[in-house]
Amino acid sequence: MWGEDLFNHGYYWEAHEAWEGLWHLADKESALRALLKGLILLSAAGVKIREGKRAAARRHAGRAAGLLRQLPDQAFSGELGVSPALLADLAEVTADAAPLPRTAENGKPEPVFAFFLGRA
């Protein structure tokens, strides 16, 4: 998934944009739509962590976690590389504890999350 690649490399705004287009197309009450909204909010949390805006990062991560925890345990686990519930926990922990990122090297963003999405 293109959004996962962007997210894993620290391009949170771009991942947000990639997932938003899919979110608009997903059925309104579907688990896929909830997952995509959770990933969009997780990406927004990454942007806010990078900006040093902890309150906003916690708010976005908390909303993402709430959506992810509503998904069935095994839903999307293969695609995400972790269960949605574990991803929810990781989102909240990172928003609470992540140090401010170092300056990017060679124009590449510094990821703020200590996990990767997708299959290893």
Side-chain angles (χ1 to χ4, degrees):
M1 183 186 277
W2 176 239
E4 285 179 345
D5 287 339
L6 291 166
F7 182 92
N8 289 339
H9 289 91
Y11 293 93
Y12 303 120
W13 180 256
E14 293 83 354
H16 173 286
E17 291 292 309
W19 285 322
E20 190 169 31
L22 297 172
W23 176 75
H24 284 292
L25 296 173
D27 290 337
K28 297 262 186 233
E29 300 300 320
S30 69
L32 176 60
R33 188 175 174 98
L35 171 67
L36 290 167
K37 184 66 174 185
L39 294 173
I40 289 165
L41 289 164
L42 183 59
S43 296
V47 170
K48 296 303 177 188
I49 290 168
R50 186 172 286 134
E51 292 174 348
K53 297 178 179 177
R54 291 295 173 182
R58 286 185 193 104
R59 187 172 54 252
H60 289 307
R63 289 179 59 210
L67 287 166
L68 293 167
R69 288 189 181 111
Q70 291 176 15
L71 296 171
D73 272 344
Q74 297 306 314
F76 307 106
S77 293
E79 294 83 358
L80 293 171
V82 297
S83 71
L86 178 56
L87 183 57
D89 292 344
L90 293 170
E92 290 179 323
V93 167
T94 301
D96 281 339
L100 291 176
R102 299 179 301 252
T103 303
E105 296 179 22
N106 300 325
K108 295 180 181 176
E110 181 73 26
V112 299
F113 294 102
F115 58 86
F116 291 97
L117 298 177
R119 295 183 178 115

